[in-house]
Amino acid sequence: MNRVEADLHVHTSCSDGAHTPEAVVLLAKERGLAAVALTDHDTIGGLAEARAACERAGIVFVNGIEMTCRCEGRDVHILGYLFDEANAALGASLARFRDRREERGREMVAKLNALGVEIAFDEVKKISGNAPVGRPHVARVLVASGAVKSVDDAFRRYLYDDGPAFAPASTLSAPEAIALIRAAGGVASVAHPVLYRGRPSAETLVEVLADAGVAAMEVWHPKHGPEETQRLIDLAKKYRLVETGGSDFHALAYGGVAPGDAGVPLETVERLRALAA
Ligand code: MN
Ligand code: MN
Ligand code: MN
C-alpha cells in the first residue's frame, strides 16, 4: 500500500452520498487525513460548504467532480480537480446534465412500453418528486405495477447498464468531459479504470483518454485488487499520468468504506496543482 494522506474521491448528500459536505470533511479530519477532495457525481453543489469546513478543520481542500460520460459505448467516470468553479461552460454542461435526467427517464419508460411493459412516466415522477429521475425510481414503478418482483429484479431484467430498457445518463463523451475540465483550468483523471467490467478495458480506456488530454489516473481505490493496482501503476508510468486515489466513500452504512481507506501522499496534490492552470 502507498502512504495515504489525501483522499481524492469522496461523495456527499449533494449526489448519492449519505452525509453532508461538512460531515464528510469532519470524518476525513477524524481519520487523520491532511487533505480531501470532494468529487460528487455531476455537481459542484457541495464544494463551497466543504471548503469552509476544511478551513475550520485545518485540512487542505481540493475541489473536484466525478463526471459521467460515454466512452467506447459505455458509461465511464472522469474525475476533475482544481478547476474554476465559476467557469460558464462547465456550469452549462452540468445544468444540461440535470435536464437530461428527465429526458432519460422518458426514454427508459418508452423502451419498457416497446417491450410490452405498460408503465407511465407520470408514475415515475410521482416517486422521484423533486429529486433527479433515476433508475431506482423506474424500478419502483415496475415493482408497483407487478412487472417485476423487486427493485433488484427490475435492474437484473431491464435496467442494468446497457440493458434492454437502459438509457445513458450522459450524452457527453469522455473527451468532451476532459476538454471541459481542462478549459476550466482543471486536471482530469480517469476514475477506477478497472471497474467497467472489462468493457472498455483499462488499457483501451487509458490509451483513448491519454490522447484526449487526461493527465492523471485513479490507481488507488478500495475495489482495486493488488494485481489490478500494479497493472495501473504500470499503465500510469507508460502514459506519464499522475497516480490519484481515494476511498470513493458514500456512507458509513454501506460496506464499511471510510474516508482514507484509499488515497495518496500529500505530494500528489502538489503535482496536480502544478498541472492546473
Ligand atoms: Mn456513487
Ligand atoms: Mn465512479
Ligand atoms: Mn465515485
Side-chain angles (χ1 to χ4, degrees), residues 16-19 248-258 261:
D16 58 348
H19 311 286
D248 211 349
F249 173 70
H250 282 75
L252 288 175
Y254 317 152
V257 170
D261 280 358

mmCIF file of all heavy atoms in Angstrom, residues 16-19 248-258 261:
data_model
loop_
_atom_site.group_PDB
_atom_site.id
_atom_site.type_symbol
_atom_site.label_atom_id
_atom_site.label_comp_id
_atom_site.label_asym_id
_atom_site.label_seq_id
_atom_site.Cartn_x
_atom_site.Cartn_y
_atom_site.Cartn_z
ATOM 1 N N ASP A 16 -24.957 11.125 -4.392
ATOM 2 C CA ASP A 16 -25.574 9.920 -3.834
ATOM 3 C C ASP A 16 -24.936 9.463 -2.528
ATOM 4 O O ASP A 16 -25.084 8.323 -2.117
ATOM 5 C CB ASP A 16 -25.564 8.784 -4.870
ATOM 6 C CG ASP A 16 -24.154 8.449 -5.356
ATOM 7 O OD1 ASP A 16 -23.216 9.225 -5.088
ATOM 8 O OD2 ASP A 16 -24.002 7.406 -6.019
ATOM 9 N N GLY A 17 -24.213 10.364 -1.866
ATOM 10 C CA GLY A 17 -23.673 10.041 -0.549
ATOM 11 C C GLY A 17 -24.715 10.303 0.531
ATOM 12 O O GLY A 17 -25.727 10.955 0.284
ATOM 13 N N ALA A 18 -24.425 9.818 1.740
ATOM 14 C CA ALA A 18 -25.419 9.939 2.824
ATOM 15 C C ALA A 18 -25.146 11.125 3.740
ATOM 16 O O ALA A 18 -26.029 11.521 4.497
ATOM 17 C CB ALA A 18 -25.443 8.654 3.632
ATOM 18 N N HIS A 19 -23.922 11.685 3.702
ATOM 19 C CA HIS A 19 -23.557 12.707 4.680
ATOM 20 C C HIS A 19 -23.319 14.062 4.019
ATOM 21 O O HIS A 19 -22.897 14.129 2.870
ATOM 22 C CB HIS A 19 -22.301 12.269 5.434
ATOM 23 C CG HIS A 19 -22.398 10.861 5.947
ATOM 24 N ND1 HIS A 19 -23.172 10.512 7.023
ATOM 25 C CD2 HIS A 19 -21.860 9.708 5.480
ATOM 26 C CE1 HIS A 19 -23.092 9.195 7.216
ATOM 27 N NE2 HIS A 19 -22.300 8.687 6.298
ATOM 28 N N ASP A 248 -13.671 6.591 -2.556
ATOM 29 C CA ASP A 248 -14.994 6.543 -3.199
ATOM 30 C C ASP A 248 -16.068 6.380 -2.117
ATOM 31 O O ASP A 248 -17.078 5.696 -2.314
ATOM 32 C CB ASP A 248 -15.074 5.392 -4.221
ATOM 33 C CG ASP A 248 -16.002 5.683 -5.387
ATOM 34 O OD1 ASP A 248 -16.756 6.683 -5.318
ATOM 35 O OD2 ASP A 248 -15.986 4.903 -6.354
ATOM 36 N N PHE A 249 -15.827 7.035 -1.005
ATOM 37 C CA PHE A 249 -16.738 6.967 0.148
ATOM 38 C C PHE A 249 -18.121 7.512 -0.214
ATOM 39 O O PHE A 249 -18.230 8.560 -0.844
ATOM 40 C CB PHE A 249 -16.132 7.805 1.287
ATOM 41 C CG PHE A 249 -17.030 7.961 2.481
ATOM 42 C CD1 PHE A 249 -17.303 6.885 3.307
ATOM 43 C CD2 PHE A 249 -17.593 9.197 2.780
ATOM 44 C CE1 PHE A 249 -18.121 7.033 4.414
ATOM 45 C CE2 PHE A 249 -18.415 9.357 3.896
ATOM 46 C CZ PHE A 249 -18.679 8.271 4.711
ATOM 47 N N HIS A 250 -19.167 6.768 0.201
ATOM 48 C CA HIS A 250 -20.547 7.236 0.017
ATOM 49 C C HIS A 250 -21.287 7.385 1.343
ATOM 50 O O HIS A 250 -22.053 8.320 1.516
ATOM 51 C CB HIS A 250 -21.342 6.296 -0.886
ATOM 52 C CG HIS A 250 -21.056 6.448 -2.352
ATOM 53 N ND1 HIS A 250 -19.899 5.980 -2.940
ATOM 54 C CD2 HIS A 250 -21.774 7.013 -3.356
ATOM 55 C CE1 HIS A 250 -19.925 6.254 -4.243
ATOM 56 N NE2 HIS A 250 -21.044 6.888 -4.519
ATOM 57 N N ALA A 251 -21.111 6.422 2.249
ATOM 58 C CA ALA A 251 -21.857 6.460 3.512
ATOM 59 C C ALA A 251 -21.236 5.492 4.496
ATOM 60 O O ALA A 251 -20.726 4.441 4.096
ATOM 61 C CB ALA A 251 -23.310 6.071 3.278
ATOM 62 N N LEU A 252 -21.292 5.832 5.775
ATOM 63 C CA LEU A 252 -20.749 4.924 6.787
ATOM 64 C C LEU A 252 -21.522 3.609 6.800
ATOM 65 O O LEU A 252 -20.981 2.571 7.134
ATOM 66 C CB LEU A 252 -20.828 5.577 8.171
ATOM 67 C CG LEU A 252 -19.824 6.709 8.381
ATOM 68 C CD1 LEU A 252 -20.053 7.375 9.727
ATOM 69 C CD2 LEU A 252 -18.393 6.213 8.264
ATOM 70 N N ALA A 253 -22.782 3.661 6.395
ATOM 71 C CA ALA A 253 -23.623 2.458 6.466
ATOM 72 C C ALA A 253 -23.343 1.448 5.360
ATOM 73 O O ALA A 253 -23.630 0.280 5.511
ATOM 74 C CB ALA A 253 -25.094 2.863 6.436
ATOM 75 N N TYR A 254 -22.800 1.882 4.220
ATOM 76 C CA TYR A 254 -22.633 0.950 3.097
ATOM 77 C C TYR A 254 -21.242 0.334 3.079
ATOM 78 O O TYR A 254 -20.274 1.037 2.808
ATOM 79 C CB TYR A 254 -22.802 1.609 1.723
ATOM 80 C CG TYR A 254 -23.927 2.584 1.497
ATOM 81 C CD1 TYR A 254 -23.770 3.592 0.534
ATOM 82 C CD2 TYR A 254 -25.117 2.512 2.196
ATOM 83 C CE1 TYR A 254 -24.781 4.502 0.277
ATOM 84 C CE2 TYR A 254 -26.124 3.427 1.951
ATOM 85 C CZ TYR A 254 -25.959 4.411 0.996
ATOM 86 O OH TYR A 254 -26.935 5.308 0.733
ATOM 87 N N GLY A 255 -21.162 -0.930 3.342
ATOM 88 C CA GLY A 255 -19.955 -1.684 3.029
ATOM 89 C C GLY A 255 -18.699 -1.362 3.819
ATOM 90 O O GLY A 255 -17.669 -1.953 3.593
ATOM 91 N N GLY A 256 -18.796 -0.435 4.740
ATOM 92 C CA GLY A 256 -17.674 -0.200 5.640
ATOM 93 C C GLY A 256 -16.509 0.607 5.083
ATOM 94 O O GLY A 256 -15.507 0.730 5.754
ATOM 95 N N VAL A 257 -16.613 1.163 3.873
ATOM 96 C CA VAL A 257 -15.532 2.010 3.366
ATOM 97 C C VAL A 257 -15.627 3.372 4.054
ATOM 98 O O VAL A 257 -16.700 3.952 4.156
ATOM 99 C CB VAL A 257 -15.616 2.188 1.833
ATOM 100 C CG1 VAL A 257 -14.640 3.249 1.361
ATOM 101 C CG2 VAL A 257 -15.323 0.868 1.136
ATOM 102 N N ALA A 258 -14.491 3.858 4.548
ATOM 103 C CA ALA A 258 -14.471 5.162 5.224
ATOM 104 C C ALA A 258 -13.461 6.070 4.530
ATOM 105 O O ALA A 258 -12.565 5.579 3.827
ATOM 106 C CB ALA A 258 -14.100 4.985 6.687
ATOM 107 N N ASP A 261 -9.638 5.170 3.390
ATOM 108 C CA ASP A 261 -9.397 3.744 3.138
ATOM 109 C C ASP A 261 -8.552 3.533 1.879
ATOM 110 O O ASP A 261 -7.989 2.456 1.674
ATOM 111 C CB ASP A 261 -10.709 2.962 3.035
ATOM 112 C CG ASP A 261 -11.267 2.651 4.430
ATOM 113 O OD1 ASP A 261 -10.610 3.017 5.426
ATOM 114 O OD2 ASP A 261 -12.354 2.055 4.514
#
